[in-house]
Amino acid sequence: MPDEDDIMRESSSLAAALAALPLETPAPGGFARVEASLARRRARRRLVGVFALAASLAVVALVPLALVRRSAAPEIVPPVVATRDADADADADALRALIEQNQQLEAYVRAQDEPYDGATAYASAGLEDLIGLVDGELAATDDRSAQDSLWRQRRALLTELVSVRSQGVTRLATNDAALLPASWRLD
Amino acid sequence: MTSFAIDVPTALIDRLRRGDMRAYEQIYRLFERPVFTLAYRLLGDRDEAQEILHDAMLAVLDKLGQFRGEAPFWGWLRQIATNEALMRLRKRKLDYVEELPEPEAALAHLPLSFEAHDLERALAGLPATTRSVLWLYYVEGFKHDEIASAFGKSLSFSKTQVLRGTQKLRDLLGTGKEQYAYA
């Protein structure tokens, strides 16, 4: 078994021989690839910034809307049925059922975690705006048929909101991202 | 003597700190071959070496704030490249912990008549870990404790790898009949 002294004796010649090997040359275009990676990083940061800004703006817009909606939202108490007519009872039951479904969905949304990313917050804010508009129309009408239609719209929007917030990534957000300038998109 | 030993003017590093991309490109051009060569010698694969060059150069920007200028810039960059390459080697896990057989014969003097391509071939015949240790020890001038630290191993690991790796390299160069069993 050779000892360290033997190794040391020949190490200088081996080191010299190894160090004398020519330098290897990388494939051309390496710096361009580094630049491209840096550009992608910058784009990613910008995109995150865009979504964060959008989410912030949505929150700013949403707070007053939510306050208006809260004050203008129709009573969730089922409407008083004025007659004992069988058809009227059936209509009232159907409307009550719609309202209860809306209440359940609202409770579900409240129980969900806050959106964890800018894209989801942005999409959620859009849906909540639409729900606010429906609430405004509900508050302004006494027409039973119109109320029925509006409560159905509201239920559909709430269902979509639940879906958006649970799935995180949304069609709305995807479409919005597709509208961004090409240089901002990620590969 | 390491090919990394290139003096980089402080003014160039200052420009890099200010985000001057032309300074960055100058530094890239200065060190692309040393970084690529080191990575290729350690990993034995040109594609992986290319990736190490890419990642190491990006890491220069990411970690520039950590460079205090107390040691030469090239040494700092070489450490980044070494760490990147060894991390890649660790991920392979295949021959990372391989053991070289105990050398049986006493060391003869290294034959000095071989050509560069013989040495290249002999290097390629070594296990990647052994080749890496030899390269860091003989060419880059790492000490045993530095090699042990870089590999996360004991001091004896480095000494043993140098001892047995040197013998194996000599065998591969001396006989010319080795079948490069570790390739």
Side-chain angles (χ1 to χ4, degrees):
Chain A
M1 164 104 185
D3 59 24
E4 278 191 60
D5 289 340
D6 295 322
I7 292 290
M8 290 305 293
R9 271 196 295 275
E10 75 168 42
S11 66
S12 59
S13 59
L14 181 56
L18 288 169
L21 287 174
L23 283 176
E24 297 291 326
T25 304
F31 187 70
R33 285 190 288 278
V34 169
E35 281 188 308
S37 293
L38 290 171
R40 276 197 295 277
R41 280 184 180 184
R42 283 194 291 268
R44 195 174 297 129
R45 287 192 192 117
R46 275 202 299 266
L47 193 59
V48 168
V50 165
F51 280 127
L53 179 63
S56 304
L57 292 173
V59 167
V60 168
L62 207 63
V63 169
L65 270 174
L67 292 173
V68 169
R69 192 170 75 212
R70 203 161 287 165
S71 61
E75 286 285 335
I76 303 301
V77 179
V80 176
V81 180
T83 67
R84 290 294 174 193
D85 179 79
D87 287 340
D89 284 345
D91 285 344
D93 287 342
L95 190 57
R96 188 181 294 112
L98 267 174
I99 293 169
E100 283 172 359
Q101 287 164 9
N102 272 268
Q103 288 175 308
Q104 286 166 4
L105 285 165
E106 277 180 331
Y108 193 85
V109 168
R110 277 197 299 274
Q112 281 183 305
D113 292 331
E114 287 299 310
Y116 56 86
D117 61 39
T120 304
Y122 184 52
S124 299
L127 286 166
E128 286 168 358
D129 285 352
L130 292 173
I131 293 168
L133 291 173
V134 172
D135 284 346
E137 290 188 54
L138 272 170
T141 183
D142 293 318
D143 180 75
R144 182 61 57 85
S145 169
Q147 285 179 341
D148 188 270
S149 171
L150 289 166
W151 279 112
R152 286 179 194 281
Q153 282 181 39
R154 198 173 187 279
R155 181 181 62 184
L157 289 167
L158 278 166
T159 304
E160 180 68 12
L161 182 59
V162 167
S163 171
V164 161
R165 292 180 66 150
S166 58
Q167 290 174 19
V169 180
T170 68
R171 288 194 305 275
L172 178 56
T174 305
N175 290 338
D176 283 355
L179 293 173
L180 289 171
S183 61
W184 287 18
R185 283 181 224 140
L186 303 179
D187 291 335
Chain B
M1 179 68 169
T2 174
S3 58
F4 273 88
I6 302 167
D7 282 333
V8 179
T10 308
L12 188 60
I13 297 170
D14 289 343
R15 282 172 53 205
L16 181 62
R17 287 188 197 279
R18 291 195 297 270
D20 184 336
M21 286 302 286
R22 289 178 63 187
Y24 183 48
E25 182 170 7
Q26 279 184 48
I27 286 173
Y28 183 96
R29 302 291 179 208
L30 280 175
F31 287 102
E32 63 177 328
R33 293 184 72 197
V35 170
F36 181 78
T37 301
L38 174 71
Y40 177 65
R41 294 302 178 205
L42 267 55
L43 296 166
D45 183 285
R46 300 190 76 83
D47 289 339
E48 284 188 295
Q50 195 79 44
E51 289 170 15
I52 296 302
L53 169 61
H54 181 271
D55 293 349
M57 287 302 185
L58 285 176
V60 164
L61 286 187
D62 293 338
K63 298 177 178 174
L64 191 59
Q66 298 169 18
F67 176 63
R68 302 288 174 216
E70 293 155 356
F73 181 84
W74 63 261
W76 179 74
L77 173 53
R78 184 180 67 175
Q79 194 60 52
I80 289 176
T82 303
N83 290 345
E84 293 278 348
L86 292 183
M87 205 184 306
R88 180 69 63 102
L89 195 60
R90 227 168 269 136
K91 282 180 185 166
R92 287 187 187 167
K93 291 183 181 172
L94 293 175
D95 65 13
Y96 187 69
V97 291
E98 89 292 86
E99 289 290 334
L100 283 174
E102 188 110 343
E104 292 173 3
L107 273 176
H109 290 295
L110 186 71
L112 292 174
S113 58
F114 54 83
E115 302 288 336
H117 68 264
D118 293 327
L119 187 52
E120 295 262 11
R121 228 170 15 178
L123 275 175
L126 292 172
T129 303
T130 307
R131 185 177 57 242
S132 300
V133 171
L134 289 186
W135 190 264
L136 293 176
Y137 181 79
Y138 285 125
V139 181
E140 300 300 339
F142 278 45
K143 294 180 170 43
H144 284 303
D145 60 332
E146 292 172 320
I147 292 173
S149 169
F151 279 81
K153 299 270 190 179
S154 65
L155 206 61
S156 62
F157 159 83
S158 176
K159 290 182 175 179
T160 305
Q161 287 288 326
V162 168
L163 191 69
R164 297 181 183 177
T166 302
Q167 174 66 33
K168 178 69 180 173
L169 187 64
R170 198 190 60 78
D171 288 346
L172 290 169
L173 281 166
T175 66
K177 294 174 184 172
E178 291 279 352
Q179 295 302 305
Y180 307 122
Y182 293 96

